[in-house]
Amino acid sequence: MPVATKHADAAPPRTGYSHAAKTAVQETTLRVKEMHRAIAGKSFGILRRIPLVAGPAQVVQSAHDVISAAVYAAIHHGSGGLLAAAAIVEKQRTGFAASKPPGRLVSGLRSALNAAFGDHLAASNNVLAIDMAIHANGAAIPLDGVALRSDFPEAGGRLCIFIHGLGCDEHSWRTGDAAAEGETDFGSQLHAEFDYTPLYLHYNSGLPIARNCAQLALLLEELLDAWPWPVTDLLIVGHSMGGLLALGACERAATSGLRWPQATRMLVSLGSPQLGSPLERLGHLTTAALNLSNITTPLARIAARRSQGIKDLRGGPGAAQTVSGQHRIAFRFLGASLAEDPDHPLGEFLGDGLVTLSSATAHAIEGDVQSARLGKLGHMRLLGDARVYQQIRAWLVELGDAALPDRR
């Protein structure tokens, strides 16, 4: 029947904050229930093996099981009903259509949720799932000539794309902030000194890295096609996972015959785990260890729910490591260490707190490739440290891109 076909083809209704909270509460309740049952089962199992205590223990266990089952059922259904009602109110009040761009705090919270559960949010059609887009002032910019000319009336043919890392957003690049001592707004400085128009990518960092790489490759092609002026120079700066996405997008563009790499002058990778993240490898081992006991297995299930984007960091970017040195792209890798001397063995061991120096500077790329190391610098400070900007600036000048004295 036509009506049935219509319902079958329709997209699932969009969910929001309340649905995400409902899922989290009910999943946590179920895991706690499983742990409670495992612990109680072991305790009563021991008591049932003791003479004279076995009979009473069995009676107590039966009563315990009935009461605990009722309590957990009440929590599960009670919280589900309450949060389902909240979802209805939320939908009526907002219609899931934002009247204004979210503030920095809301944007940061949403980005963190996407990092942890972004693949689940996208699969469940949750309104919290982030769609990859170029952002300005906290809002996505349509990739059409009229909108771009309106948003960037004084732009030209030189673009710089900033790509954030796991759990971050475009605000992570210190955009619009008063620079503290030793910090620099990379976008503002590149515009002032080299006439680059800074653009900021926002994406769901919980999705598989390969999926984000493919989306980025197509989005950059669409951006250059829609840009109101001929793009003569494209600079890409990626932090952490963002650097992996940039390299993966280059590989996708090469195999798909896309044109934007021909306009790309330089790709800078800041603290990107080319050899994988030690933290995620530790997380994988911890999850495996928790699965060894039926008491801790529920905790392992919670840990296993982390997004595929996080899990992909365990072994490195894969295909992104084999980018060919085609076109004229200059590949630059920058690693940091918490130690003052990055060349000291301790500096390699510490890395920037999340990524080791060797992982940040490793590559399998032919062509124009350089790397640099900075000491006394943590992972997140790579996004705005003045020394990082000076290194990027030096690389640009080395390529023959002199600063603009009239705009300094």
Side-chain angles (χ1 to χ4, degrees), residues 212-228:
N212 275 328
C213 290
Q215 289 184 5
L216 177 59
L218 296 176
L219 182 140
L220 290 177
E221 189 80 353
E222 186 179 354
L223 172 64
L224 266 63
D225 286 342
W227 194 250

Side-chain angles (χ1 to χ4, degrees), residues 9 42 135 193 196 221 233 274 285 295-296 305 322 339 367:
D9 295 338
K42 282 187 176 296
H135 275 229
E193 294 198 66
Y196 279 106
E221 189 80 353
D233 193 344
Q274 310 295 334
L285 291 174
I295 293 179
T296 55
R305 289 296 300 270
T322 60

Side-chain angles (χ1 to χ4, degrees), residues 114-116 164-168 203 205-210 212-213 239-245 270-284 306-318 320-321 354-356 359 379:
N114 274 257
H164 64 75
L166 177 71
C168 298
Y203 67 97
S205 57
L207 292 178
I209 289 178
N212 275 328
C213 290
H239 173 249
S240 197
M241 180 185 282
L244 303 184
L245 261 61
L270 305 175
S272 300
Q274 310 295 334
L275 301 179
S277 168
L279 266 181
E280 170 51 24
R281 284 197 287 271
L282 178 61
H284 178 69
R306 65 192 186 277
S307 71
Q308 188 60 46
I310 294 177
K311 294 176 182 177
D312 284 350
L313 292 175
R314 182 169 68 248
Q321 286 187 309
L354 291 178
V355 179
T356 63
S359 184
H379 189 71

